[in-house]
Amino acid sequence: MVESEQKAKGMMAQGFKMTDSQWEYAYRCFELMNLDILAHMFSADGLLKRGS
């Protein structure tokens, strides 16, 4: 997941011109989104429960 996140950041960096503070904000949003996805997958009502 970390590798996927890094690739996405690299692809965005090639396509958009932003200031350092804007990039920090965008990267933080990526990280929080990924954590939220993981938390939902492993929650009691998450995706993984459906398979069991």
Side-chain angles (χ1 to χ4, degrees):
M1 186 155 211
V2 171
E3 184 178 330
S4 175
E5 185 178 292
Q6 301 241 338
K7 284 181 184 178
K9 289 176 182 179
M11 289 171 56
M12 281 185 59
Q14 291 176 357
F16 298 102
K17 302 295 179 207
M18 294 192 286
T19 65
D20 288 344
S21 62
Q22 289 171 322
W23 279 118
E24 286 178 29
Y25 178 77
Y27 291 166
R28 185 72 176 141
C29 288
F30 259 110
E31 293 164 1
L32 291 173
M33 179 181 62
N34 287 339
L35 287 173
D36 192 43
I37 290 168
L38 284 174
H40 183 69
M41 285 175 59
F42 290 99
S43 72
D45 296 327
L47 181 69
L48 295 178
K49 182 181 178 184
R50 295 180 189 153
S52 57

